[in-house]
Amino acid sequence: DTEVTQTPKHLVMGMTNKKSLKCEQHMGHRAMYWYKQKAKKPPELMFVYSYEKLSINESVPSRFSPECPNSSLLNLHLHALQPEDSALYLCASSQGRLTINEKLFFGSGTQLSVL
Amino acid sequence: AQKVTQAQTEISVVEKEDVTLDCVYETRDTTYYLFWYKQPPSGELVFLIRRNSFDEQNEISGRYSWNFQKSTSSFNFTITASQVVDSAVYFCALSESPMDSNYQLIWGAGTKLIIKP
């Protein structure tokens, strides 16, 4: 089973809503990532959890709040988003501690629209 | 300055043609890794290959081949006898010293490949 599952696939929310994106993997990977991808652009790293601890936060606004309840799950809590936050949000995982040769396994993403 | 350059924004070929996607990178590190990922319309990025800076051997996997040349800082990707299912955006990426990049992958802008039947 080499799959990263993300839910929901599509999400439309208003600027005052609170919603959560979910990501799950059962490959025994110990690093999990959130990426944001705007149309026709490469992915931008937001957060990395390594062994369930937040290791990297790429200066992401506080309206995005990550959570890693256990080694298989990763959530992204959204609150008071702006229309410019509309994008494809991708979750990824990799095997172990952060190294520069990590091969990433991606989910198919949540397409988020903020109205 | 861009560290990973994919100069071809979009390439369109007819099925069964061969096509090469270019990737030029820039790093001052001696130890680094290069990657190619494929992103079909479904959105999921799929790992294709990883190559470390000490291994310049070219690689072939079925219809896919990669040409790594340190002398020209290039890591080009060729699809032989292209098929419609190869249509996707292809990203080249660089991973270098964490002191320079904090474990971030440095992505190229991507090349959109369209294979027409």
Side-chain angles (χ1 to χ4, degrees):
Chain A
D1 186 4
T2 56
E3 195 175 82
V4 175
T5 304
Q6 288 188 243
T7 55
K9 292 200 181 303
H10 302 276
L11 179 62
V12 179
M13 59 187 290
M15 290 191 283
T16 57
N17 292 157
K18 285 185 181 180
K19 297 286 184 184
S20 297
L21 309 184
K22 297 185 183 303
C23 175
E24 191 168 3
Q25 56 87 14
H26 294 289
M27 295 178 279
H29 289 177
R30 301 311 300 269
M32 295 187 77
Y33 307 68
W34 280 116
Y35 279 86
K36 173 183 177 180
Q37 187 179 25
K38 297 285 252 183
K40 300 186 179 182
K41 297 288 186 184
E44 299 171 37
L45 184 63
M46 300 174 72
F47 303 104
V48 182
Y49 276 83
S50 179
Y51 286 78
E52 293 120 70
K53 291 188 179 171
L54 184 63
S55 299
I56 297 175
N57 176 344
E58 287 295 322
S59 303
V60 179
S62 60
R63 58 186 184 267
F64 295 92
S65 174
E67 178 196 18
C68 190
N70 60 55
S71 60
S72 300
L73 292 173
L74 184 66
N75 298 321
L76 186 63
H77 302 298
L78 314 173
H79 174 54
L81 293 193
Q82 304 296 310
E84 59 265 28
D85 297 321
S86 298
L88 180 67
Y89 288 84
L90 291 159
C91 174
S93 68
S94 64
Q95 273 195 318
R97 295 193 183 280
L98 289 179
T99 63
I100 67 169
N101 65 343
E102 287 296 301
K103 169 181 161 182
L104 297 177
F105 294 80
F106 283 86
S108 53
T110 295
Q111 187 66 55
L112 174 67
S113 297
V114 182
L115 304 179
Chain B
Q2 269 186 303
K3 288 203 166 188
V4 178
T5 302
Q6 295 180 256
Q8 305 146 309
T9 304
E10 184 173 306
I11 300 174
S12 180
V13 300
V14 177
E15 200 172 20
K16 297 183 184 172
E17 286 186 18
D18 298 348
V19 59
T20 295
L21 282 61
D22 297 333
C23 174
V24 174
Y25 64 93
E26 178 188 330
T27 182
R28 58 187 177 187
D29 294 341
T30 54
T31 302
Y32 55 90
Y33 288 80
L34 293 162
F35 300 79
W36 277 93
Y37 283 86
K38 172 183 179 180
Q39 189 172 35
S42 58
E44 175 184 349
L45 279 146
V46 179
F47 168 85
L48 295 178
I49 190 171
R50 171 181 55 198
R51 172 66 74 219
N52 76 57
S53 52
F54 300 106
D55 181 2
E56 283 194 78
Q57 198 168 16
N58 289 333
E59 180 150 341
I60 298 174
S61 176
R63 296 183 297 105
Y64 294 174
S65 62
W66 289 268
N67 182 2
F68 177 30
Q69 291 198 328
K70 285 175 77 170
S71 60
T72 56
S73 296
S74 65
F75 187 41
N76 296 337
F77 172 32
T78 297
I79 301 175
T80 303
S82 59
Q83 299 176 2
V84 172
V85 293
D86 296 326
S87 297
V89 179
Y90 291 86
F91 290 98
C92 178
L94 165 71
S95 181
E96 55 182 2
S97 163
M99 286 195 299
D100 294 327
S101 64
N102 195 24
Y103 297 104
Q104 277 214 50
L105 273 176
I106 302 163
W107 298 82
T111 296
K112 183 176 182 179
L113 178 62
I114 300 168
I115 310 295
K116 295 185 232 180

